[in-house]
Amino acid sequence: MLNKQFNKSLRSLFALLVLVIGGGLAIGSGPVQANDQQSSQQQAQAQTSDADLWRAIKAGEAGYTTAEGVETGVLINVAGNQGKELRNKYLTPVMALTVVGVFGAFLVFYLVNGPSKLSHGFSGKMVARWSKADIWIHWIMAVSCIALMFTGLTIMLGKHIIQPFVEPSQIPSLWAPLIYGSKTIHDWVGPLFILSWAVCVVKWMPLQTFKMYDLKWFLVVGGYINFGPFKGKHPDSGFANAGEKMWFWTLTLFGLFISVSGMMLVLPGLDLPREASMAALLIHAISAIILIAFTIVHIWMATVLSEGGMECMVSGYCDENWAIQHHNLWYDDIKANGSLRYKN
């Protein structure tokens, strides 16, 4: 009887110990589990917060900074990246194709067609056409324009067609001074071009108005074709033919675009937003492509494709037969009003 009571008491004591120990473990594990859950939630929130922050940065949203300047709070400029991609992916190859394509097309035309010859040959009598001031303006603008073309092409295309052949050689330091020199020349020659361009536009604009007879000039390709139904067709033309007028107005419009955008790019004191700077860069490149194309055409037409044409901008005089064939209406006018002057 005594043993049964002792065993019963012992079982009760054991059960009480189990309850006490189990309860203690339960009480001790509660805060641990809660802390683990809270830590996991904080980590998830931190990851979400970091993702949102990076998404906002990539979207171009501005933050806060104590640095002073234009858009200093923007870490990633979306418009700038998109503009750079547009320039590299599209404008750079278009510029290369323009140079090669236009020059190649006129080279083929010259080899097949030959130059536009004077129907009656050279007369030997030289007629005054350009003043000394006109010649100076033309050549200052021409030389500065060509310098800007070559340096601009080096800046845009050099890393694709020059740098790969220079850097692996024994003189890897050649590329750095070449690109730096091109940029320096481009920046300093620009104002000279702008000044001569402005004088040219103001001085020559009265001579560049389109007339109805200019349409025929385009229809017969200016009389430059030496075969087929166009052979020997010399359309009427005033002081400037239709092709020269189209070149002048192209130079006027896109010369304005390239001048304004160029000044926006080289004048740091303007403190322009990055979007405006990228827009200026794209406008500058597009204007350059158009002007380069027309400049190549102008050089071909004024030199090898026109017999006697180059002499006009060298001495200011043209052969009388050249004036009659290419600018007959102008020749008739100066002959009728008594302003025809021959070279002594």
Side-chain angles (χ1 to χ4, degrees), residues 139-154:
W139 285 111
I140 291 173
M141 183 172 64
V143 171
S144 61
C145 181
I146 291 174
L148 292 172
M149 281 176 52
F150 278 103
T151 54
L153 288 171
T154 301

Side-chain angles (χ1 to χ4, degrees), residues 79-96 151-160 175 179 183 186 265 277-286 288-289:
N81 286 341
Q82 292 174 345
K84 182 175 66 175
E85 182 180 358
L86 178 63
R87 178 178 180 267
N88 294 336
K89 189 175 181 180
Y90 297 103
L91 296 184
T92 298
V94 166
M95 178 171 284
T151 54
L153 288 171
T154 301
I155 293 170
M156 281 199 72
L157 305 178
K159 64 181 179 181
H160 302 290
W175 170 247
I179 194 68
K183 176 65 167 62
H186 202 83
L265 293 171
S277 297
M278 181 52 65
L281 185 64
L282 295 178
I283 292 172
H284 200 77
I286 294 171
I289 291 171

Side-chain angles (χ1 to χ4, degrees), residues 237-297:
S237 179
F239 182 88
N241 61 43
E244 292 169 334
K245 291 176 181 178
M246 185 170 66
W247 159 235
F248 174 84
W249 289 111
T250 301
L251 177 64
T252 299
L253 179 61
F254 289 97
L256 176 63
F257 290 161
I258 208 168
S259 298
V260 174
S261 60
M263 288 188 291
M264 291 172 63
L265 293 171
V266 300
L267 296 178
L270 296 177
D271 288 334
L272 297 173
R274 296 178 188 178
E275 287 82 359
S277 297
M278 181 52 65
L281 185 64
L282 295 178
I283 292 172
H284 200 77
I286 294 171
S287 301
I289 291 171
I290 295 172
L291 288 178
I292 287 173
F294 273 86
T295 300
I296 294 173
V297 173

Side-chain angles (χ1 to χ4, degrees), residues 42-252:
Q42 289 176 347
Q43 289 178 358
Q45 290 175 355
Q47 291 175 355
T48 303
S49 178
D50 290 344
D52 292 339
L53 176 62
W54 180 236
R55 192 178 297 110
I57 291 174
K58 291 194 294 184
E61 293 187 18
Y64 172 76
T65 177
T66 57
E68 297 181 356
V70 180
E71 298 182 359
T72 53
V74 179
L75 293 180
I76 296 179
N77 186 272
V78 178
N81 286 341
Q82 292 174 345
K84 182 175 66 175
E85 182 180 358
L86 178 63
R87 178 178 180 267
N88 294 336
K89 189 175 181 180
Y90 297 103
L91 296 184
T92 298
V94 166
M95 178 171 284
L97 289 174
T98 298
V99 174
V100 176
V102 175
F103 185 87
F106 272 86
L107 178 60
V108 171
F109 178 79
Y110 174 75
L111 295 175
V112 173
N113 181 81
S116 176
K117 297 281 187 178
L118 293 178
S119 301
H120 302 287
F122 289 98
S123 67
K125 294 188 289 184
M126 305 299 291
V127 177
R129 178 167 170 80
W130 296 102
S131 67
K132 294 293 182 183
D134 290 322
I135 296 174
W136 273 102
I137 294 170
H138 172 270
W139 285 111
I140 291 173
M141 183 172 64
V143 171
S144 61
C145 181
I146 291 174
L148 292 172
M149 281 176 52
F150 278 103
T151 54
L153 288 171
T154 301
I155 293 170
M156 281 199 72
L157 305 178
K159 64 181 179 181
H160 302 290
I161 62 177
I162 299 177
Q163 188 178 11
F165 300 99
V166 173
E167 288 197 335
S169 67
Q170 299 300 318
I171 46 175
S173 61
L174 181 60
W175 170 247
L178 176 62
I179 194 68
Y180 177 77
S182 297
K183 176 65 167 62
T184 303
I185 293 172
H186 202 83
D187 291 346
W188 285 98
V189 173
L192 183 62
F193 168 79
I194 294 174
L195 179 61
S196 58
W197 165 83
V199 175
C200 159
V201 169
V202 173
K203 196 172 190 301
W204 295 348
M205 187 177 292
L207 304 171
Q208 307 299 324
T209 55
F210 281 98
K211 307 293 184 181
M212 287 302 298
Y213 54 73
D214 289 322
L215 178 61
K216 186 179 180 181
W217 191 96
F218 286 113
L219 294 176
V220 299
V221 199
Y224 284 88
I225 297 181
N226 296 327
F227 55 86
F230 296 111
K231 183 177 181 179
K233 300 290 185 180
H234 301 299
D236 291 337
S237 179
F239 182 88
N241 61 43
E244 292 169 334
K245 291 176 181 178
M246 185 170 66
W247 159 235
F248 174 84
W249 289 111
T250 301
L251 177 64
T252 299

